[in-house]
């Protein structure tokens, strides 16, 4: 019998190649191929055996709504869409050291009095997990611990009577299926281990939470197929130097995506942040030029955050553009629109943009706030005090209305803001929640709010 050749599998996308190449032909990633032994022989075609008939039903019919396992940690429950669903798989991704193990241990402990929770660690010894629990003040929680990496052993221990309700696997990259030859952490192993564990979870009705490491490109290490296999994908993110941590749902079969949960890393674990706006604005410097408050929406919740810009004459032939927390391409667009449509001379300047507090904004509604911060920094004129800004900007410079205007204004009013700069088109029919609204039709209207003082004008404006 001829020896089955091993194949070379891309660790990014899972694509298989018969021989080694430097660049994956499926996804184009470089240097990601790893030799893996062939999978157990898959049946070729369907053969002669006939299948069973499947039953077809209509859309109508009664299905029970899934029971939710609510931990009481509100930030976590909301990101899950109102609690975790029985017989489902969740993937929790994030950089090393961001707090995945910590938050999951806390969630586990919060559920342990009502549900049977199991924490299986493949990375840390039992003692390390115990030490962490002690630090978190949770050592009394009735959680069952295990240190294991062999999926066959885990499946054998869970199967049978008294199956648990919640199982945490920390992390999926350390798990292996012993029928495969490849090393733990390779695509084949990650995929096979996850498949076994999720299949068991669906069969026995428990919720399995898989911790997944993130590569330097920001993807969950291992194949993207992992994201397709689970029902919910949560990313835990934040700057390590900040104490804020944000949990974001990027996929959820049982709830909305783009929902965020905000936590604060303290000496005693992660604390929920019920009012993120107050936290993000807590370090604000009052009236300085180049800063303005953006009224954003994250998931179902309004979040106010400060956007800071610094525009300074550049000594370089190609001025620097640096962005933290926002899209660099979007910044380039706003700069071009300010330059071409409003005549602001930004070309010879270095531009730095920062979303304070470590939040990452993806909403186009931040356009107007970014433009205001830039215009304010260039002119040296501070933003009007107590004012929030939001709105989308089009390529011709027109300010476009955005959704959830009411929610944004309400949150601003709740936090003591008295004014709002927003697109004129969005003001129609809307109530202004007691705020003084300055409607902007075009970016030119916004630029006019930031006149350069005459003395500064010459030095700051180029060309
Ligand atoms: P951890 O949950 O181990 O991260 P991950 O599982 O994502 O790799 O978190 C580790 C970091 O969190 C570590 O740098 C120490 C910090 N930490 C605290 O600041 N306070 C705490 O109470 C705990 C348990 C950890
Ligand atoms: Mg960990």
């Amino acid at each position: 019998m001829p020896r089955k050749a091993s194949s070379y599998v891309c660790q990014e996308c899972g694509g298989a190649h018969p021989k080694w190449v430097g660049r994956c032909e499926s996804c184009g990633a470089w240097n990601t191929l790893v030799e893996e032994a062939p999978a157990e022989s898959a049946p070729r075609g369907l053969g002669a055996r006939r299948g069973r008939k499947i039953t077809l039903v209509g859309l109508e019919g009664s299905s029970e709504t899934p029971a939710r396992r609510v931990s009481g940690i509100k930030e976590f429950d909301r990101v899950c869409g109102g609690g975790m669903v029985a017989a489902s798989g969740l993937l929790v991704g994030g950089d090393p050291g961001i707090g995945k193990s910590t938050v999951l241990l806390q969630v586990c402990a919060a559920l342990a009095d009502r549900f049977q929770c199991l924490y299986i660690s493949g990375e840390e010894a039992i003692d390390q997990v115990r030490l962490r629990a002690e630090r978190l003040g949770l050592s009394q929680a009735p959680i069952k611990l295990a240190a294991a990496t062999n999926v066959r052993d885990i499946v054998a221990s869970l199967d049978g009577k008294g199956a648990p309700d919640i199982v945490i696997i920390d992390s999926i990259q350390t798990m292996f299926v012993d029928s495969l030859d490849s090393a733990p952490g390779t695509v084949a192993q990650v995929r096979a281990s996850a498949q076994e564990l999720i299949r068991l979870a669906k069969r026995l009705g428990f919720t399995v939470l898989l911790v997944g490491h993130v590569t330097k490109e920001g993807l969950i290490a291992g194949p993207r197929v992992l994201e397709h296999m689970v029902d919910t994908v949560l990313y835990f993110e934040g700057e390590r130097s900040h104490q804020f941590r944000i949990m974001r749902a990027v996929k959820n079969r049982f709830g909305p995506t783009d929902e965020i949960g905000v936590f604060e890393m303290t000496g005693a674990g992660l604390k929920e942040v019920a009012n993120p706006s107050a936290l993000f604005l807590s370090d604000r410097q009052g009236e300085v030029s180049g800063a303005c408050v953006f009224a954003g929406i994250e998931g179902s919740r309004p979040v106010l955050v400060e956007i800071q810009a610094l525009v300074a004459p550049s000594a370089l032939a190609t001025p620097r553009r640096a962005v933290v927390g926002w899209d660099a391409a979007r910044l380039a667009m706003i700069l071009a629109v300010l330059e071409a449509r409003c005549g602001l001379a930004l070309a010879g300047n270095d531009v730095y943009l920062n979303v304070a507090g470590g939040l990452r904004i993806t909403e186009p509604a931040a356009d107007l706030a970014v433009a205001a911060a830039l215009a304010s920094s260039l002119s040296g004129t501070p933003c009007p005090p107590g004012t929030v800004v939001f709105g989308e900007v089009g390529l011709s410079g027109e300010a476009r209305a955005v959704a959830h205007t009411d929610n944004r204004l309400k949150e601003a009013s709740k936090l003591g803001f008295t004014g709002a700069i927003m697109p004129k088109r969005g003001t129609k029919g809307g109530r202004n929640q007691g705020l003084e609204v300055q409607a902007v039709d075009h970016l030119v209207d916004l630029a006019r709010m930031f006149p350069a003082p005459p003395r500064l004008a010459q030095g700051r404006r180029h060309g």
Side-chain angles (χ1 to χ4, degrees):
M1 203 174 96
R3 199 176 70 88
K4 261 186 264 138
S6 50
S7 61
Y8 294 83
V9 178
C10 172
Q11 302 298 300
E12 294 282 335
C13 71
H17 304 256
K19 61 182 196 320
W20 193 87
V21 282
R23 184 162 187 254
C24 171
E25 281 155 22
S26 314
C27 70
W30 285 94
N31 225 2
T32 54
L33 262 55
V34 166
E35 182 174 5
E36 287 186 9
E40 277 168 47
S41 62
R44 298 230 171 140
L46 288 176
R49 230 183 80 220
R50 302 240 337 237
R52 246 181 321 131
K53 280 230 168 76
I54 53 171
T55 23
L56 302 171
V57 295
L59 265 180
E60 274 178 39
S62 65
S63 299
E64 35 188 305
T65 40
R68 299 273 181 178
R69 289 162 179 178
V70 180
S71 70
I73 300 179
K74 286 207 192 73
E75 297 296 301
F76 181 80
D77 293 336
R78 193 184 38 247
V79 177
C80 297
M84 291 184 289
V85 173
S88 71
L90 281 93
L91 180 64
V92 181
D95 288 329
I98 205 75
K100 302 182 291 296
S101 305
T102 307
V103 76
L104 291 183
L105 193 60
Q106 286 181 277
V107 167
C108 227
L111 286 159
D113 53 350
R114 288 160 291 143
F115 300 100
Q116 203 193 344
C117 299
L118 195 58
Y119 188 104
I120 300 178
S121 176
E123 296 189 343
E124 293 163 307
I126 301 265
D127 282 344
Q128 278 172 292
V129 181
R130 282 199 181 129
L131 266 178
R132 177 179 298 124
E134 209 164 294
R135 185 170 171 189
L136 299 171
L138 301 173
S139 33
Q140 303 301 319
I143 303 174
K144 292 254 167 29
L145 294 182
T149 51
N150 190 332
V151 174
R152 190 188 297 276
D153 297 347
I154 296 173
V155 170
S157 326
L158 298 186
D159 213 344
K161 264 198 231 129
D165 300 308
I166 315 268
V167 176
I168 293 182
I169 304 286
D170 190 359
S171 64
I172 191 66
Q173 273 88 11
T174 56
M175 299 293 144
F176 72 97
V177 173
D178 55 16
S179 57
L180 292 184
D181 277 344
S182 27
T186 53
V187 171
Q189 283 291 8
V190 168
R191 189 162 39 188
S193 307
Q195 207 157 25
E196 287 299 331
L197 291 164
I198 291 167
R199 195 182 300 153
L200 189 72
K202 302 259 168 186
R203 185 153 63 80
L204 300 184
F206 63 81
T207 310
V208 64
L209 289 116
L210 308 172
V211 174
H213 288 296
V214 162
T215 59
K216 55 184 185 306
E217 286 81 28
L219 296 174
I220 291 180
R224 290 310 289 269
V225 289
L226 205 51
E227 295 193 2
H228 300 298
M229 280 156 61
V230 294
D231 301 297
T232 304
V233 179
L234 308 178
Y235 271 94
F236 205 35
E237 53 190 40
E239 300 285 321
R240 203 100 58 93
S241 49
H242 282 102
Q243 70 270 42
F244 314 126
R245 300 283 183 271
I246 289 150
M247 191 172 267
R248 196 181 284 276
V250 294
K251 162 183 173 176
N252 197 349
R253 288 190 184 140
F254 305 111
T257 50
D258 285 333
E259 198 65 85
I260 64 162
V262 185
F263 296 89
E264 189 180 357
M265 183 59 102
T266 68
L270 288 149
K271 249 181 44 201
E272 303 173 57
V273 175
N275 188 345
S277 305
L279 190 73
F280 288 131
L281 296 179
S282 60
D283 291 335
R284 213 151 55 92
Q285 291 286 314
E287 276 175 60
V288 288
S289 66
C292 86
V293 177
F294 165 54
I297 297 280
E298 291 287 343
S300 61
R301 204 162 43 154
V303 174
L304 303 193
V305 60
E306 187 176 56
I307 294 191
Q308 305 170 336
L310 179 64
V311 179
S314 178
L316 304 167
T318 315
R320 284 193 63 130
R321 306 276 188 254
V323 197
V324 178
W326 207 49
D327 183 18
R330 199 93 196 162
L331 172 66
M333 185 199 107
I334 298 293
L335 288 171
V337 174
L338 280 172
E339 184 116 26
R341 310 285 180 197
C342 312
L344 295 194
L346 290 152
N349 291 298
D350 288 334
V351 175
Y352 301 91
L353 191 82
N354 178 34
V355 178
L359 189 69
R360 192 168 47 79
I361 299 179
T362 47
E363 261 195 301
D367 291 354
L368 207 59
V370 169
L374 291 167
S376 162
S377 176
L378 183 72
S379 66
T381 310
C383 258
T387 300
V388 296
V389 189
F390 60 90
E392 195 180 333
V393 172
L395 279 182
S396 62
E398 81 277 17
R400 297 163 158 236
V402 292
H404 307 296
T405 300
D406 265 8
N407 270 351
R408 296 174 204 267
L409 293 175
K410 218 180 280 172
E411 176 81 354
S413 162
K414 203 167 85 190
L415 284 155
F417 285 83
T418 52
I421 299 176
M422 58 180 281
K424 196 177 222 161
R425 292 173 183 82
T427 56
K428 270 181 233 143
R431 284 152 297 162
N432 57 9
Q433 307 291 345
L435 296 172
E436 193 184 316
V437 169
Q438 298 187 58
V440 175
D441 198 24
H442 192 274
L443 263 196
V444 170
D445 303 335
L446 183 82
R448 246 184 246 130
M449 295 179 194
F450 300 95
R455 192 170 48 79
L456 277 172
Q458 270 194 329
R460 292 219 176 211
R461 296 200 174 212
H462 288 244

